[in-house]
Amino acid sequence: MEVSKVYQANAESVFEFLKASFKNDYERNTKTLLRSGDLKPGLKFTKNFGTKNQHSVMVEVEKMTAPHHYRILLNSSRGTNVIEYLIEPHTADEIEVTYREEYLDMGFFTKLNNKLLTPLFRKKLESRMMAQLDQLIHYSNKERTNYVRENIS
């Protein structure tokens, strides 16, 4: 499933925010500092989550082409979830951002479940994805404003 929207935003700022978010996740879960040059396709780490960190997924960078394409894989016992952001120029001061979620390697019952339930929950899924996209732009714009304020003032 995918959603797209045009925003008044800077592609580099949005991409840098995605990278910073990934870096934060990596460092929190591995207890290791991640150098900028190491954030490239093939980088993997295990992310723990849940109330007691009882669940885990293997996170892998599949594509990292600044400032246009960010794609990660989340591998778990349930299959592979693909998270992807495509950032394209729209006008001189606007970008179009596409957010995609895709499930791969699903077993028979998971495929059947998704086929039956996705149409029922499509609107809710689209709303959640659009809200996530809006938050990404909001926070990347906020970070850019703070950076400009701190470094130009």
Side-chain angles (χ1 to χ4, degrees):
M1 179 174 288
E2 80 176 44
V3 294
S4 291
K5 189 172 176 181
V6 173
Y7 294 94
Q8 190 167 6
N10 177 279
E12 288 80 11
S13 295
V14 173
F15 197 83
E16 284 302 315
F17 188 81
L18 286 168
K19 284 174 45 178
S21 178
F22 182 95
K23 184 177 188 268
N24 186 29
D25 250 2
Y26 179 92
E27 291 176 351
R28 190 172 45 239
N29 282 279
T30 65
K31 309 284 190 255
T32 307
L33 288 177
L34 179 65
R35 295 177 306 191
S36 299
D38 293 337
L39 183 47
K40 57 188 175 190
L43 177 66
K44 297 178 185 180
F45 73 95
T46 301
K47 179 176 181 169
N48 298 303
F49 60 96
T51 53
K52 296 178 183 172
N53 282 334
Q54 72 273 26
H55 304 291
S56 67
V57 293
M58 176 63 71
V59 180
E60 178 181 358
V61 176
E62 187 174 66
K63 192 134 188 144
M64 190 72 65
T65 309
H68 303 292
H69 196 176
Y70 173 94
R71 181 180 167 106
I72 59 169
L73 306 176
L74 305 170
N75 298 300
S76 72
S77 59
R78 294 183 178 198
T80 301
N81 184 9
V82 179
I83 305 290
E84 183 170 35
Y85 291 91
L86 300 167
I87 306 165
E88 297 297 329
H90 187 70
T91 64
D93 61 344
E94 293 179 325
I95 57 173
E96 180 175 9
V97 183
T98 301
Y99 172 53
R100 242 182 238 146
E101 286 185 12
E102 182 182 1
Y103 296 95
L104 309 173
D105 307 329
M106 295 181 290
F108 173 76
F109 290 108
T110 305
K111 282 182 186 176
L112 180 62
N113 186 46
N114 282 349
K115 189 171 186 162
L116 294 172
L117 295 179
T118 298
L120 296 173
F121 293 107
R122 178 174 286 289
K123 281 290 185 200
K124 187 171 181 153
L125 287 170
E126 286 175 351
S127 293
R128 178 190 56 80
M129 291 172 71
M130 192 57 75
Q132 192 165 332
L133 200 52
D134 290 344
Q135 287 297 307
L136 167 68
I137 301 303
H138 171 77
Y139 285 112
S140 68
N141 282 343
K142 188 175 177 180
E143 286 293 314
R144 181 176 169 83
T145 301
N146 289 342
Y147 177 82
V148 169
R149 200 176 290 136
E150 290 170 5
N151 292 291
I152 295 181
S153 298

